[in-house]
Amino acid sequence: IDRLHFHSARSNQKLDHLKEAWSDFKASLSINPKQADVLYARGGLYSVLGRYDAAVRDHHDALVIERALCSP
């Protein structure tokens, strides 16, 4: 169900329904907080909203998760 929220968030973001997109990203991450792609996408939304500190934090967290998955 976390992926349904993610896809809904992406659709809402494309439709410029930014509040709904943020809510869907939040719901997806509340179910599974270790989704690098969701964090990265939410970071992009934060950037659009001018919340650059939050954008950097989400992008950083996404990279940390990806690195952990790739390390031996």
Side-chain angles (χ1 to χ4, degrees), residues 18-31:
L18 303 183
K19 277 187 171 180
E20 292 87 350
W22 183 85
S23 181
D24 285 330
F25 283 133
K26 182 179 176 184
S28 182
L29 289 166
S30 73
I31 296 166

Side-chain angles (χ1 to χ4, degrees), residues 10 13 23 25 30 42 55 61 65 68:
R10 297 297 301 207
Q13 190 172 10
S23 181
F25 283 133
S30 73
R42 188 177 71 174
D61 291 348
I65 292 168

Side-chain angles (χ1 to χ4, degrees), residues 38-53:
V38 179
L39 285 164
Y40 187 81
R42 188 177 71 174
L45 175 61
Y46 279 141
S47 182
V48 168
L49 295 172
R51 297 184 57 195
Y52 303 113
D53 289 344

